Amino acid sequence: MKTLKLIFCVCFAFLGLSFAQDVSKPRTLEGLVKQEDDFYKFLKKNHPIFKYQKEGRVIGEIRLSDRKEEFMEISGGPLFAKDNGLEHTAVTYRLPFESFLDLPNKFVGPKKCGECHPAQYKAWERSRHAKVVRFPHELTEIGGDMKKPLYNSQATALPKGIEASDVFVMIGTPRTKYGFIDNWLVRGTYHVENGSFGKLTGNLVAGGNQFSRFWAEFLTPEKAKQIASFVPNFPTTMPEFGGSGSYVWGINSYAATYRKKMIFQPASAYCETCHTFKFDFKSKDELYKALGNSKELQKHTISKGISCEECHGAGAHLYGARGAGMPSNCERCHQRFVYNEEDAKLNPKKPFNSYFKSANPACGTEGAQMYSSAHYDKGIRCSTCHDPHEVTSNDWKDPYTKTALKKTCQDCHATQASFFQKGGIHAKDNCTSCHMPNMMSCEDFSAIQTPDFGGFDNVRAAHIWNIKVDKTAKTLNPPKGKERSSQVKGWTIARDEEGKFFIDLMWSCGRTSASDINLVGPGASGCHSAVQSTLPKKLHFTNQEMIYDKVMEWQNPVKEGYTKIITGIKKIDKTLADKPKLAVDKKSKVLLLTKKAEEIAEKLEKDGSWGVHGPAYSKKIIDEALTYIQDAQNILK
């Protein structure tokens, strides 16, 4: 029997059908974590960072991070596992179908999928999903010149001492940033002073590792001073950025504290969860031999980016891979949770909050936010509105995203849309302008995250929708009793009386974002941002109280009018009950007029904005309803 099994395996290997694991058995969390051990040992023995360290040429402390930490130990995972009788729990990250350490694998690459699925391939190929992992020479938007100063700054796509030959892939697009994974498949959290990484010369320095379009183009020293005029202690010089800063404006320190700390983390532990890539090596030995040689790694790369097989499984239906046929796997990258005991007490059905790196929700938490929304409870999921193949409708090189949608807000919210269509000061805006503000951050740049002012490191749209009209209630909050400072860890999204997440008025109306299409897209006014708005100065909102007072100017008259309608209808009903012998023709007229007034009241209730969606139109239909009521009362008199 053993001989037959050996022959069977050899035949499969000969035919190119061998694979790393027995797919008849499920992949386990423990197995995934343990899989990294050999790779980690190899890197600790061979990666240049440790040679620099041995020779005393490292500026900053090196902290080691691995899969065990990222998948099992963070975000309350051990606590949730204990409370629920589980061995381990991956709270923030999802288990991938395959890792780049699974060798050999069954990946065929997106072009093979495109042979039979051209429409889906074309939509995907022009989206940011296809561009978030690229070889240095593929950065066509900068002509492949990794040392070219960008956006009128001195910042370059790669930091000092790091050349294209030192890099396996670049992470990011011109919408936000450029980071790098080095040619040892380790996250680039460093730069080199007075030397070259490839030549092992100079000093390896913590941080100063990532280009940021936001810092280079928008958050200039002049813009920082403008923000500091209404945001206390906002940094205006590079030293004031502290650990987030760098040696030049436009490059920052991510997963590192400038000149103090850096993380040593294989791409298998973190990056590949969302910024994926796969090789066609036949064994780990082949992979290990290629490490340190970017060209060799690139030559053997069969797939990169969020491509077909990351959602549909390696080889998909061509091989019958794990997960073959799944319509999507959005949650793997877009549902990053934190287990929170306070949330579990407030709403036992929803014991998870959004993952935070500092004071803003982290990137990839769209699904975690949606989880505590009315939309989620009604069965709406990512693919309800999004086509996973076509996530980017506009040019991927733009600084903002226009999302391709297969379902829009007005498809379900016709009443609200009708108020907008009747004109008014917000008639030209999209629903997302107020209900989906850019709130999430891709980084942990606490120096510039100021949630109470709706800024400023916020590059992705919130998926909460529910706006709470309140003078002081805040969406984002530090732990109870802690200072409202972005330096404090453990921030969470607040819940309303029904246990749902909500958006406060500052985020809805007064935020600042350099990548929010509603603020910076074609024809946009910058809404009410005190930094970006082109509206009159009196409409530049620097605090939530200003916005609340303006909203009350719209809502109070509408709510008062609505109360009059309801009160009038009740009086008519009572009068009708006291006049059983009222003539039929008069009674029918009264009932018809009352019904028209009731329909208007129901329309105002269903709209739910109490005048914000259409102030003038709301007042108009209130006057109409009150006229019906007056006519009915005159008949009854």
Side-chain angles (χ1 to χ4, degrees):
M1 191 69 173
K2 289 182 179 178
T3 304
L4 284 174
K5 188 173 182 181
L6 178 61
I7 293 172
F8 182 77
C9 291
V10 170
C11 288
F12 262 59
F14 179 76
L15 293 170
L17 297 175
S18 62
F19 40 83
Q21 299 181 46
D22 180 355
V23 293
S24 66
K25 296 179 181 179
R27 159 156 271 169
T28 65
L29 177 58
E30 293 84 354
L32 175 86
V33 169
K34 189 170 178 56
Q35 182 193 35
E36 191 188 48
D37 289 352
D38 289 341
F39 182 49
Y40 207 96
K41 289 176 184 175
F42 181 89
L43 290 173
K44 286 172 73 175
K45 184 178 179 180
N46 295 282
H47 194 281
I49 196 171
F50 299 108
K51 295 178 182 178
Y52 274 100
Q53 185 183 47
K54 187 176 180 180
E55 296 172 9
R57 293 187 290 122
V58 173
I59 299 175
E61 175 190 341
I62 301 172
R63 186 177 76 81
L64 306 181
S65 177
D66 57 17
R67 273 185 178 173
K68 185 178 180 184
E69 177 187 51
E70 292 291 346
F71 280 86
M72 290 184 176
E73 295 177 349
I74 66 170
S75 305
L79 183 60
F80 181 82
K82 180 182 177 183
D83 290 350
N84 291 274
L86 300 172
E87 192 86 19
H88 302 287
T89 308
V91 174
T92 299
Y93 300 107
R94 298 294 179 272
L95 190 69
F97 288 131
E98 309 290 344
S99 164
F100 69 75
L101 295 176
D102 288 315
L103 293 169
N105 57 45
K106 298 184 293 183
F107 273 75
V108 297
K111 289 187 177 180
K112 177 63 68 176
C113 299
E115 290 177 4
C116 293
H117 303 281
Q120 290 80 4
Y121 176 82
K122 184 59 181 175
W124 167 82
E125 195 274 334
R126 60 177 299 279
S127 75
R128 290 201 175 97
H129 269 172
K131 311 296 183 186
V132 294
V133 180
R134 291 179 290 163
F135 301 141
H137 64 266
E138 292 178 327
L139 268 64
T140 56
E141 66 273 20
I142 62 173
D145 184 354
M146 310 306 288
K147 296 299 181 179
K148 172 186 175 183
L150 302 173
Y151 304 110
N152 298 314
S153 74
Q154 296 303 307
T156 57
L158 282 177
K160 274 198 302 191
I162 310 297
E163 303 295 333
S165 58
D166 303 322
V167 171
F168 165 52
V169 290
M170 299 295 293
I171 301 296
T173 71
R175 185 177 75 90
T176 51
K177 63 183 181 181
Y178 297 121
F180 69 95
I181 295 175
D182 69 26
N183 52 13
W184 293 84
L185 303 184
V186 170
R187 191 179 187 184
T189 59
Y190 54 82
H191 70 280
V192 175
E193 283 184 351
N194 304 316
S196 164
F197 179 76
K199 295 177 181 177
L200 289 176
T201 57
N203 292 320
L204 195 79
V205 185
N209 57 303
Q210 180 174 273
F211 171 83
S212 168
R213 180 170 184 175
F214 169 66
W215 289 43
E217 183 179 40
F218 177 79
L219 192 63
T220 60
E222 294 72 27
K223 189 70 69 175
K225 289 176 183 176
Q226 185 182 352
I227 295 170
S229 68
F230 65 92
V231 179
N233 303 315
F234 193 83
T236 58
T237 64
M238 188 55 72
E240 290 175 337
F241 283 102
S244 300
S246 181
Y247 58 87
V248 65
W249 202 286
I251 287 181
N252 46 45
S253 297
Y254 181 42
T257 304
Y258 185 54
R259 304 187 77 82
K260 292 183 178 179
K261 293 180 182 179
M262 72 183 94
I263 194 171
F264 177 82
Q265 190 175 60
S268 52
Y270 179 79
C271 311
E272 76 158 351
T273 304
C274 301
H275 294 271
T276 53
F277 50 88
K278 298 295 183 295
F279 301 110
D280 64 3
F281 294 115
K282 296 295 184 285
S283 68
K284 286 184 181 179
D285 286 341
E286 286 189 18
L287 169 63
Y288 291 175
K289 286 178 183 177
L291 291 176
N293 185 333
S294 57
K295 288 186 178 179
E296 192 68 14
L297 291 171
Q298 292 164 8
K299 183 176 75 175
H300 285 276
T301 302
I302 193 169
S303 174
K304 62 185 189 298
I306 297 91
S307 60
C308 317
E309 293 161 279
E310 297 303 331
C311 294
H312 297 291
H317 62 83
L318 298 179
Y319 282 126
R322 297 171 189 266
M326 281 191 68
S328 74
N329 186 24
C330 310
E331 290 82 1
R332 173 177 157 190
C333 299
H334 294 280
Q335 196 181 61
R336 303 170 76 184
F337 283 129
V338 167
Y339 177 56
N340 187 292
E341 287 185 291
E342 290 302 314
D343 277 88
K345 292 174 185 176
L346 288 170
N347 188 349
K349 294 181 180 180
K350 307 281 186 180
F352 298 102
N353 209 289
S354 171
Y355 175 62
F356 282 67
K357 293 177 182 176
S358 45
N360 285 25
C363 60
T365 59
E366 294 92 342
Q369 296 168 39
M370 183 178 175
Y371 165 78
S372 288
S373 71
H375 284 108
Y376 190 93
D377 291 346
K378 291 292 185 181
I380 293 173
R381 298 294 184 268
C382 308
S383 57
T384 304
C385 301
H386 296 278
D387 177 352
H389 302 113
E390 191 176 16
V391 294
T392 311
S393 179
N394 57 312
D395 191 318
W396 61 271
K397 295 186 286 292
D398 289 340
Y400 54 84
T401 293
K402 181 179 181 182
T403 309
L405 296 170
K406 59 184 184 182
K407 188 179 285 291
T408 60
C409 304
Q410 53 264 41
D411 291 333
C412 296
H413 298 284
T415 300
Q416 288 83 352
S418 71
F419 276 71
F420 264 90
Q421 290 165 1
K422 300 298 182 182
I425 56 177
H426 289 136
K428 68 178 179 62
D429 296 318
N430 296 312
C431 307
T432 57
S433 298
C434 303
H435 291 276
M436 296 183 72
N438 271 24
M439 182 185 291
M440 290 180 280
S441 169
C442 288
E443 326 297 0
D444 55 357
F445 298 146
S446 55
I448 57 173
Q449 289 182 10
T450 52
D452 289 351
F453 292 91
F456 292 85
D457 175 33
N458 38 295
V459 298
R460 294 193 182 187
H463 283 60
I464 298 174
W465 300 288
N466 170 29
I467 298 172
K468 186 179 180 71
V469 178
D470 190 279
K471 183 177 283 190
T472 58
K474 298 294 185 181
T475 299
L476 308 180
N477 295 280
K480 192 174 181 180
K482 296 289 185 179
E483 181 187 2
R484 296 191 66 83
S485 164
S486 56
Q487 305 297 323
V488 172
K489 294 292 184 181
W491 283 63
T492 56
I493 301 177
R495 297 180 185 273
D496 64 12
E497 296 76 13
E498 296 179 359
K500 303 288 195 302
F501 290 166
F502 66 83
I503 295 170
D504 67 43
L505 290 174
M506 192 67 203
W507 278 110
S508 180
C509 308
R511 69 189 177 280
T512 298
S513 173
S515 57
D516 190 328
I517 187 173
N518 299 297
L519 300 180
V520 301
S525 65
C527 292
H528 301 283
S529 163
V531 181
Q532 295 169 299
S533 181
T534 59
L535 300 173
K537 191 78 173 178
K538 65 180 181 179
L539 295 177
H540 295 187
F541 299 143
T542 56
N543 61 66
Q544 191 162 315
E545 290 75 12
M546 296 171 67
I547 302 169
Y548 179 81
D549 291 342
K550 178 60 66 175
V551 172
M552 288 301 98
E553 289 180 19
W554 297 325
Q555 286 194 337
N556 285 338
V558 173
K559 287 182 176 180
E560 289 168 6
Y562 171 81
T563 300
K564 288 180 182 178
I565 295 170
I566 298 301
T567 302
I569 290 171
K570 287 180 179 179
K571 286 182 179 179
I572 291 170
D573 289 343
K574 187 176 185 305
T575 304
L576 279 173
D578 294 338
K579 292 178 179 269
K581 296 182 180 181
L582 185 68
V584 172
D585 61 329
K586 291 185 177 182
K587 187 173 183 178
S588 64
K589 288 180 181 178
V590 169
L591 291 173
L592 184 61
L593 291 166
T594 305
K595 183 180 179 181
K596 288 182 177 181
E598 286 176 338
E599 287 173 349
I600 289 173
E602 289 172 0
K603 191 172 184 179
L604 288 166
E605 286 176 17
K606 192 170 183 179
D607 170 63
S609 76
W610 305 108
V612 178
H613 289 155
Y617 177 64
S618 297
K619 289 179 182 178
K620 177 185 175 183
I621 61 175
I622 285 171
D623 289 342
E624 183 182 342
L626 293 175
T627 300
Y628 293 143
I629 288 170
Q630 186 62 57
D631 283 352
Q633 290 173 340
N634 289 340
I635 293 171
L636 290 172
K637 288 178 182 177

